[in-house]
C-alpha cells in the first residue's frame, strides 16, 4: 500500500484447492502452507508493485482472531521483517481489516469515502457482526469509535454456507457453490419454506437452525421415491440463500434506521454474494443511503485491507513492539479506530 492509502499490489495465495478435498480448512495444513508461501507471496507483491524493501515504511500483520497456527506464522514473520529492517510493526484485528476493506473502492484503486456514522455488516467464514462506526470527532470524514450491535450466536453466515454446501454435496468453498446452484434453480417457487431465524429479534443472528432445516428436508427426500434430485438440491440452495439474505438485509436496515446511519458498509467473504449485494443495494437505495462494498477480491481475506487498517492506525501514532503476540480469540476493544485496528 502506498503512502496515499492506495493499493500498490495485492497478492492472495488461496488455499481453497488444498482444503477442498477435506470439505473445510485443515488447521495444521493451513499453517504449514502459510509458512511455505509467505516469502514467495512477499516477493510476488514486490514484483507487482515494482518496488523493494527500500520502499517499505512499516509492516502490518493480522494478529487475530483466527487459526492459531496460521496467525503464529504470520506474526513471527512480520516481527522478523520489522526487526531486520528496523521498521514499525502494527498488529491488526482481522475484523477491523474487513471493515476497512469497504474503503478500498469501487472503483478499483480509488478510496471510497463512506459517510459516518455507518452501520457495517461483516459476514465471513468466522464472523457475522453488525457494527456501528461513528465519525471521528477530530475529522468527521474518517471512521471513529466502533461499537458492536450484534453478532451470531452460533454459526457465522459463511460457515452456514459452507456447511449447507457440504451436506448438499456442492463442494468447498460453499458460498460460491450455493450461489451458482441457486442461480441454476431459476425463479420458480419451491414447495417448501425455510425459517428466517431471529428475523425480528434484536441484532443477534442464529444460522444453525436454518442449516438443520435444510438437512432435515434433504434427509427426508432421500427416503422418498422421488429421491434427492438435482432440482431439489438447487431449490434448497436458493431457499437457503434467500433466508440468509432476508435476515441479513432486514437487520442491517433496521440498525441503519435506529442508529441514524449516513451510510451502510458490507464486507467479508460472504459480501461476494451477488444476491446479498443486490438486495442490500436495493434496500439502501429505497432509503437514499449510500452502500459501500469492496470489490469482490477485497471481500474475501486479503492483505490490502490489513495494510489499510494499519495505515490508518499508524497515522494515529499506533505502533506495536516486537513482543506482539498472535491472539486466536482476539475480540476488539470498543473504542476509537486507532485502538481496535
Ligand atoms: O472473509 P473470508 O475470506 O474468510 C474468513 O475470514 O472467514 O470469508 C470466507 C467465507 C467462506 O465461508 C465462503 O463460503 C464465503 O466467505 N463466501 C461466500 C461467497 N464467496 C465466499 N458466501 C456466499 N456467497 C459467495 N459468493
Ligand atoms: Zn476474513
Amino acid at each position: 500500500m502506498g503512502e496515499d492509502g492506495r493499493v500498490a499490489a495485492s497478492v492472495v495465495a488461496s488455499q481453497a484447492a488444498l482444503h477442498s478435498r477435506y470439505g473445510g480448512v485443515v488447521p495444521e495444513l493451513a499453517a504449514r502452507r502459510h509458512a511455505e508461501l509467505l516469502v514467495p507471496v512477499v516477493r510476488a507483491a514486490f514484483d507487482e508493485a515494482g518496488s523493494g524493501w527500500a520502499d517499505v515504511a512499516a509492516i502490518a500483520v493480522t494478529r487475530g482472531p483466527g487459526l492459531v497456527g496460521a496467525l503464529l506464522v504470520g506474526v513471527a514473520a512480520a516481527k522478523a521483517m520489522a526487526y531486520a529492517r528496523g521498521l514499525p510493526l502494527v498488529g491488526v484485528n482481522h475484523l477491523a481489516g474487513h471493515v476497512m476493506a469497504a474503503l478500498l473502492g469501487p472503483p478499483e484503486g480509488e478510496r471510497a469515502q463512506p459517510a459516518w456514522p455507518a452501520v457495517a455488516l461483516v459476514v465471513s467464514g468466522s464472523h457475522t457482526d453488525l457494527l456501528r462506526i461513528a465519525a471521528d470527532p477530530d475529522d468527521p470524514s474518517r471512521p471513529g469509535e466502533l461499537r458492536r450491535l450484534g453478532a451470531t450466536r452460533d454459526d457465522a453466515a459463511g460457515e452456514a454456507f459452507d456447511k449447507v454446501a457440504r451436506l448438499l454435496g456442492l463442494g468447498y468453498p460453499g458460498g460460491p457453490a450455493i450461489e451458482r446452484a441457486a442461480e441454476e434453480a431459476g425463479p420458480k417457487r419451491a414447495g417448501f419454506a425455510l425459517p428466517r431465524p431471529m428475523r425480528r429479534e434484536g441484532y443477534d443472528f442464529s444460522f444453525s437452525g436454518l442449516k438443520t432445516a435444510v438437512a432435515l428436508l434433504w434427509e427426508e427426500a432421500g427416503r422418498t421415491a422421488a429421491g434427492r434430485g438435482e432440482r431439489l438440491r438447487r431449490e434448497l440452495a436458493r431457499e437457503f440463500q434467500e433466508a440468509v439474505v432476508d435476515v441479513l438485509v432486514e437487520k442491517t436496515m433496521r440498525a441503519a434506521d435506529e442508529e441514524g446511519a449516513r451510510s451502510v458498509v458490507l464486507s467479508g467473504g460472504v459480501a461476494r454474494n451477488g444476491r446479498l449485494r443486490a438486495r442490500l443495494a436495493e434496500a439502501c437505495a429505497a432509503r437514499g443511503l449510500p452502500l459501500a462494498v469492496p470489490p469482490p477480491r477485497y471481500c474475501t481475506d486479503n492483505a490490502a485491507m490489513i495494510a489499510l487498517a494499519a495505515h490508518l492506525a499508524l497515522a494515529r501514532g499506533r505502533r506495536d513492539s516486537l513482543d506482539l503476540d498472535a491472539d486466536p480469540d482476539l475480540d476488539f476493544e470498543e473504542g476509537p479506530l486507532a485502538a481496535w485496528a
Side-chain angles (χ1 to χ4, degrees), residues 18-340:
L18 171 71
H19 298 285
S20 67
R21 54 190 285 220
Y22 305 103
V25 173
V26 183
E28 181 52 36
L29 281 182
R32 213 178 309 155
R33 185 54 71 89
H34 227 58
E36 287 163 7
L37 290 175
L38 209 137
V39 171
V41 163
V42 171
R43 285 214 181 101
F46 277 144
D47 282 352
E48 195 178 305
S51 65
W53 278 110
D55 305 305
V56 176
I59 305 284
V61 65
T62 303
R63 76 179 186 95
L67 295 174
V68 67
L71 291 171
L72 282 170
V73 169
V75 168
K79 288 202 284 196
M81 291 175 199
Y83 177 68
R85 310 294 313 185
L87 292 170
L89 174 71
V90 182
V92 173
N93 182 316
H94 184 70
L95 183 62
H98 274 303
V99 175
M100 287 303 116
L103 307 188
L104 291 171
E108 182 93 16
E110 293 296 318
R111 280 281 292 282
Q113 295 291 356
W116 316 102
V119 159
L121 174 68
V122 182
V123 269
S124 73
S126 41
H127 286 283
T128 305
D129 282 301
L130 203 49
L131 309 165
R132 181 187 197 275
I133 306 156
D136 181 340
D138 298 335
D139 176 357
S141 72
R142 299 170 73 132
E145 297 240 341
L146 178 91
R147 186 156 54 84
R148 181 182 268 138
L149 303 171
T152 183
R153 295 188 181 173
D154 41 61
D155 293 347
E159 190 182 356
F161 268 94
D162 293 336
K163 286 180 175 172
V164 166
R166 179 152 44 161
L167 79 90
L168 293 178
L170 285 168
Y172 173 87
I178 296 257
E179 186 171 5
R180 258 193 319 274
E183 268 163 31
E184 286 160 6
K188 196 166 161 282
R189 284 213 61 86
F192 57 85
L194 292 175
R196 267 61 177 160
M198 299 183 67
R199 186 178 190 162
R200 301 194 200 287
E201 289 157 56
Y203 293 134
D204 279 352
F205 301 88
S206 167
F207 294 113
S208 75
L210 181 56
K211 171 197 67 196
T212 306
V214 175
L216 287 175
L217 284 165
W218 190 235
E219 272 166 31
E220 215 175 272
R223 289 193 291 269
T224 65
R228 297 166 163 179
E230 201 50 45
R231 170 139 171 255
L232 178 65
R233 191 198 307 271
R234 291 172 179 166
E235 282 179 347
L236 279 168
R238 184 192 57 199
E239 293 303 317
F240 165 77
Q241 178 174 274
E242 282 309 304
V244 173
V245 169
D246 273 349
V247 175
L248 294 176
V249 171
E250 179 156 335
K251 286 195 193 242
T252 305
M253 297 321 293
R254 180 150 45 80
D257 291 341
E258 286 173 7
E259 296 293 328
R262 295 181 58 221
S263 67
V264 173
V265 167
L266 171 67
S267 66
V270 183
R272 286 184 86 117
N273 186 275
R275 188 74 183 137
L276 175 60
R277 292 167 87 98
R279 290 274 312 279
L280 199 58
E282 215 173 87
C284 286
R287 286 168 173 78
L289 277 177
L291 172 66
V293 197
R297 68 194 195 116
Y298 297 138
C299 288
T300 31
D301 288 348
N302 65 88
M305 68 188 194
I306 303 301
L308 180 57
H311 178 74
L312 297 176
L314 272 165
R316 296 312 206 78
R318 232 205 69 208
R319 305 270 186 288
D320 284 305
S321 77
L322 292 173
D323 295 332
L324 181 74
D325 261 334
D327 182 352
D329 303 314
L330 183 69
D331 204 344
F332 63 87
E333 297 285 328
E334 301 214 340
L337 166 75
W340 57 266

